[in-house]
Amino acid sequence: MPTSQHTADVDSMRAQYEELAELAGSLAHEIKNPLSVIHMNIDLLSEDLTEIESPIRRRSLDRVDIVRQQCERMESLLRDFLRYARLRDIDLVPGNLNDQIETVLRAYQAQADMDDIDIEKYLDPDLPAILLHSDSLQAALMNLVKNALEAMEPGGQLWARTYTTRTGVALDLIDTGSGVDDNTVLHMFEPFYTTKDGGSGLGLPTARKIIEAHGGRISVQSEFGRGTKFVLEFPVPKRLAR
């Protein structure tokens, strides 16, 4: 049984964490504004340099391109961080998990066709409704599907399967991609951990945060060189259960 002192300490730590998260979000927002100005002026400088006839023009344009690329990378990182930091309590309404994954898979069907990747769907037509927030849940699913497609070579397969569980509903996303090692599985949901060049390391942590905000959980199994399986589980409130 937790003591009153322990409860007070936990509440104090939670308040400090929330204050720090809010401060970090505010700082990221303040960095974003001058960074946008720098990016805009780099573009203007690049236009000016193209009009100058000089032996050093090419070298100067190359350096401007490096600065532009780093600005774009920082802007992408800040967008991901702000999305992660701002995720708080979300309003959940009854909805169907099948509809959410169908929408996401349709959005990526053209990319899958272009990359010669086969998408197979096994969606339970009798799936009970869950409480969800469509925009944020689709954002989480898009991150997982995008990662799966990027991990596969032409001829790969992605399976999406929904089914009922003892306590709710679940979604399996299974790909035949490159897979990851045990160390990556251990750390992949930690903020800023990434194995991708130029990646922010916030995609999977944000996806997990979204799923947990739905009262759900996400787990992963992966074998290097063979593929990865994500399992998303969501509760079905008694008042929605059929």
Side-chain angles (χ1 to χ4, degrees), residues 2-18:
T3 65
S4 58
Q5 180 61 46
H6 175 75
T7 302
D9 289 343
V10 170
D11 290 342
S12 176
M13 290 176 62
R14 183 180 295 114
Q16 290 176 12
Y17 172 80
E18 291 176 352

Side-chain angles (χ1 to χ4, degrees), residues 111-138:
Q111 179 181 335
D113 292 342
M114 184 173 61
D115 294 338
D116 191 25
I117 292 171
D118 183 37
I119 297 178
E120 296 286 346
K121 296 178 289 186
Y122 302 94
L123 308 182
D124 183 352
D126 298 318
L127 205 66
I130 62 172
L131 292 175
L132 58 84
H133 181 265
S134 183
D135 287 348
S136 64
L137 182 55
Q138 286 184 24

Side-chain angles (χ1 to χ4, degrees), residues 133-214:
H133 181 265
S134 183
D135 287 348
S136 64
L137 182 55
Q138 286 184 24
L141 295 174
M142 282 183 171
N143 181 274
L144 296 174
V145 171
K146 178 175 179 288
N147 285 350
L149 295 178
E150 290 176 349
M152 287 187 281
E153 298 291 334
Q157 289 185 302
L158 172 64
W159 291 279
R161 180 171 75 106
T162 59
Y163 52 96
T164 58
T165 67
R166 187 173 59 83
T167 58
V169 302
L171 165 67
D172 292 346
L173 287 171
I174 307 169
D175 69 63
T176 59
S178 55
V180 295
D181 57 32
D182 292 341
N183 184 65
T184 300
V185 169
L186 187 64
H187 297 288
M188 66 195 321
F189 291 112
E190 295 177 3
F192 303 111
Y193 180 86
T194 182
T195 58
K196 293 182 179 179
D197 291 338
S200 69
L202 288 170
L204 286 176
T206 301
R208 184 178 71 171
K209 200 171 182 182
I210 290 170
I211 291 161
E212 290 177 347
H214 284 73

Side-chain angles (χ1 to χ4, degrees), residues 68-139:
R68 180 191 292 111
Q69 290 167 11
Q70 293 305 310
C71 280
E72 291 171 352
R73 181 167 182 259
M74 285 297 298
E75 287 170 340
S76 177
L77 176 61
L78 286 171
R79 281 195 301 271
D80 289 345
F81 178 78
L82 287 170
R83 188 180 299 115
Y84 178 81
R86 287 172 178 169
L87 186 62
R88 297 288 187 268
D89 294 333
I90 52 180
D91 294 327
L92 305 178
V93 298
N96 191 283
L97 182 58
N98 286 344
D99 295 338
Q100 307 303 309
I101 189 60
E102 284 267 28
T103 298
V104 170
L105 292 178
R106 277 198 302 270
Y108 282 98
Q109 187 62 59
Q111 179 181 335
D113 292 342
M114 184 173 61
D115 294 338
D116 191 25
I117 292 171
D118 183 37
I119 297 178
E120 296 286 346
K121 296 178 289 186
Y122 302 94
L123 308 182
D124 183 352
D126 298 318
L127 205 66
I130 62 172
L131 292 175
L132 58 84
H133 181 265
S134 183
D135 287 348
S136 64
L137 182 55
Q138 286 184 24

Side-chain angles (χ1 to χ4, degrees), residues 31-92:
I31 294 172
K32 184 173 178 288
N33 291 332
L35 187 60
S36 297
V37 174
I38 293 171
H39 193 173
M40 179 184 67
N41 279 276
I42 284 294
D43 288 340
L44 294 174
L45 179 59
S46 180
E47 292 176 7
D48 290 343
L49 286 171
T50 58
E51 298 175 359
I52 298 175
E53 293 297 333
S54 168
I56 65 170
R57 184 182 70 170
R58 182 67 265 165
R59 186 173 60 188
S60 298
L61 284 171
D62 288 343
R63 290 172 176 171
V64 165
D65 284 341
I66 291 171
V67 176
R68 180 191 292 111
Q69 290 167 11
Q70 293 305 310
C71 280
E72 291 171 352
R73 181 167 182 259
M74 285 297 298
E75 287 170 340
S76 177
L77 176 61
L78 286 171
R79 281 195 301 271
D80 289 345
F81 178 78
L82 287 170
R83 188 180 299 115
Y84 178 81
R86 287 172 178 169
L87 186 62
R88 297 288 187 268
D89 294 333
I90 52 180
D91 294 327
L92 305 178

